[in-house]
Protein backbone atom coordinates (compact mmCIF):
# COMPACT_ATOMS: atom_id res chain seq x y z
CA UNK A 1 0.00 0.00 0.00
CA UNK A 2 2.68 2.52 0.97
CA UNK A 3 4.67 1.59 -2.14
CA UNK A 4 1.76 2.68 -4.36
CA UNK A 5 1.41 5.94 -2.44
CA UNK A 6 5.14 6.65 -2.90
CA UNK A 7 4.87 5.98 -6.65
CA UNK A 8 1.92 8.38 -6.89
CA UNK A 9 3.83 11.13 -5.07
CA UNK A 10 6.88 10.54 -7.30
CA UNK A 11 4.80 10.84 -10.48
CA UNK A 12 3.33 14.15 -9.30
CA UNK A 13 6.80 15.54 -8.56
CA UNK A 14 8.28 14.63 -11.94
CA UNK A 15 8.37 17.06 -14.87
CA UNK A 16 6.21 16.32 -17.90
CA UNK A 17 9.06 16.89 -20.39
CA UNK A 18 12.41 16.47 -18.66
CA UNK A 19 15.35 18.12 -20.48
CA UNK A 20 17.19 15.93 -22.98
CA UNK A 21 20.97 16.04 -22.83
CA UNK A 22 23.82 13.55 -22.62
CA UNK A 23 27.14 13.18 -20.83
CA UNK A 24 29.73 15.47 -22.45
CA UNK A 25 27.23 18.09 -23.63
CA UNK A 26 27.94 21.73 -22.88
CA UNK A 27 24.74 23.11 -21.36
CA UNK A 28 23.22 26.30 -19.96
CA UNK A 29 21.26 25.50 -16.79
CA UNK A 30 18.75 28.26 -15.97
CA UNK A 31 18.23 28.24 -12.18
CA UNK A 32 15.57 30.19 -10.32
CA UNK A 33 17.19 32.12 -7.45
CA UNK A 34 15.03 33.47 -4.62
CA UNK A 35 16.42 36.51 -2.79
CA UNK A 36 13.91 37.59 -0.19
CA UNK A 37 10.78 38.43 -2.18
CA UNK A 38 12.64 38.83 -5.50
CA UNK A 39 13.09 36.10 -8.08
CA UNK A 40 15.76 36.02 -10.75
CA UNK A 41 17.23 33.53 -13.18
CA UNK A 42 20.91 32.63 -12.99
CA UNK A 43 22.60 30.73 -15.81
CA UNK A 44 25.27 28.13 -15.01
CA UNK A 45 27.19 27.08 -18.14
CA UNK A 46 29.42 24.02 -18.21
CA UNK A 47 30.00 20.44 -19.31
CA UNK A 48 27.83 17.60 -18.02
CA UNK A 49 30.28 15.14 -16.43
CA UNK A 50 27.83 12.71 -14.88
CA UNK A 51 24.26 11.61 -14.29
CA UNK A 52 23.02 9.50 -11.42
CA UNK A 53 19.81 8.19 -9.93
CA UNK A 54 16.48 7.55 -11.59
CA UNK A 55 12.96 8.89 -11.44
CA UNK A 56 12.51 11.82 -9.08
CA UNK A 57 16.00 11.30 -7.62
CA UNK A 58 17.83 11.77 -10.95
CA UNK A 59 20.73 14.25 -10.71
CA UNK A 60 23.37 15.61 -13.07
CA UNK A 61 26.74 17.27 -12.43
CA UNK A 62 27.89 20.29 -14.46
CA UNK A 63 31.53 21.40 -14.37
CA UNK A 64 33.15 24.63 -15.55
CA UNK A 65 36.36 26.56 -14.98
CA UNK A 66 36.11 29.97 -13.28
CA UNK A 67 39.28 32.04 -12.84
CA UNK A 68 41.44 28.94 -13.24
CA UNK A 69 39.50 27.04 -10.56
CA UNK A 70 37.18 24.12 -11.34
CA UNK A 71 33.60 24.56 -10.15
CA UNK A 72 31.08 21.72 -10.09
CA UNK A 73 27.42 21.94 -9.32
CA UNK A 74 24.91 19.11 -8.90
CA UNK A 75 21.34 19.68 -10.09
CA UNK A 76 18.16 17.58 -9.72
CA UNK A 77 16.63 16.95 -13.17
CA UNK A 78 13.03 17.29 -11.92
CA UNK A 79 13.54 20.31 -9.63
CA UNK A 80 11.00 23.14 -9.99
CA UNK A 81 13.91 25.59 -9.52
CA UNK A 82 15.46 24.45 -12.81
CA UNK A 83 13.63 26.45 -15.47
CA UNK A 84 15.33 24.93 -18.49
CA UNK A 85 18.48 23.22 -19.72
CA UNK A 86 19.77 24.37 -23.11
CA UNK A 87 22.27 22.21 -24.99
CA UNK A 88 24.92 24.47 -26.53
CA UNK A 89 27.27 21.82 -27.88
CA UNK A 90 27.33 18.01 -28.03
CA UNK A 91 30.56 16.07 -27.63
CA UNK A 92 31.68 12.53 -28.35
CA UNK A 93 32.30 10.52 -25.18
CA UNK A 94 33.11 6.90 -24.46
CA UNK A 95 32.51 7.03 -20.72
CA UNK A 96 29.43 7.31 -18.51
CA UNK A 97 31.25 9.60 -16.05
CA UNK A 98 33.81 12.19 -17.16
CA UNK A 99 35.57 12.55 -13.80
CA UNK A 100 38.94 12.43 -15.58
CA UNK A 101 38.30 16.05 -16.68
CA UNK A 102 38.92 17.12 -13.06
CA UNK A 103 42.65 16.45 -13.50
CA UNK A 104 42.96 18.32 -16.79
CA UNK A 105 43.88 21.96 -17.35
CA UNK A 106 43.43 24.35 -20.28
CA UNK A 107 43.00 22.91 -23.76
CA UNK A 108 43.14 19.35 -22.45
CA UNK A 109 39.62 19.82 -21.05
CA UNK A 110 38.15 20.13 -24.55
CA UNK A 111 36.16 17.21 -25.99
CA UNK A 112 35.60 16.34 -29.66
CA UNK A 113 32.40 17.79 -31.06
CA UNK A 114 29.68 15.37 -32.20
CA UNK A 115 28.75 15.61 -35.87
CA UNK A 116 25.04 15.98 -36.50
Amino acid sequence: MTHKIMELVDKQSMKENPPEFEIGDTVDVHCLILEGEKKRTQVFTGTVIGRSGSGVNEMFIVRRIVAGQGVERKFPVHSPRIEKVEVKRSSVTRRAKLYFLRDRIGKAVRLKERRK
Side-chain angles (χ1 to χ4, degrees):
M1 182 69 174
T2 58
H3 184 66
K4 290 181 181 179
I5 294 171
M6 291 299 291
E7 284 182 6
L8 183 65
V9 170
D10 283 353
K11 284 182 183 177
Q12 291 174 349
S13 300
M14 290 176 70
K15 288 184 178 178
E16 297 266 338
N17 300 325
E20 293 184 16
F21 56 90
E22 296 178 13
I23 309 298
D25 289 357
T26 301
V27 295
D28 284 350
V29 182
H30 296 259
C31 306
L32 187 67
I33 305 293
L34 303 172
E35 295 173 338
E37 295 178 11
K38 294 184 203 172
K39 293 181 184 178
R40 67 182 178 88
T41 302
Q42 186 177 44
V43 180
F44 190 86
T45 304
T47 305
V48 178
I49 63 167
R51 285 181 89 148
S52 62
S54 63
V56 178
N57 300 322
E58 189 174 358
M59 308 281 274
F60 63 100
I61 302 170
V62 180
R63 178 179 175 82
R64 74 179 197 184
I65 307 295
V66 178
Q69 190 72 28
V71 177
E72 291 183 10
R73 205 159 157 199
K74 197 169 185 177
F75 298 100
V77 172
H78 297 285
S79 172
R81 295 250 174 117
I82 303 294
E83 291 180 344
K84 63 181 174 178
V85 178
E86 289 182 54
V87 177
K88 292 291 185 187
R89 179 176 186 259
S90 292
S91 300
V92 177
T93 58
R94 298 173 72 176
R95 304 273 181 275
K97 304 280 193 277
L98 303 181
Y99 297 149
F100 65 90
L101 293 178
R102 293 173 175 167
D103 301 328
R104 297 196 177 181
I105 300 169
K107 288 185 177 180
V109 175
R110 291 184 299 173
L111 299 168
K112 289 183 184 176
E113 190 162 357
R114 176 174 285 142
R115 302 283 178 221
K116 293 180 182 177

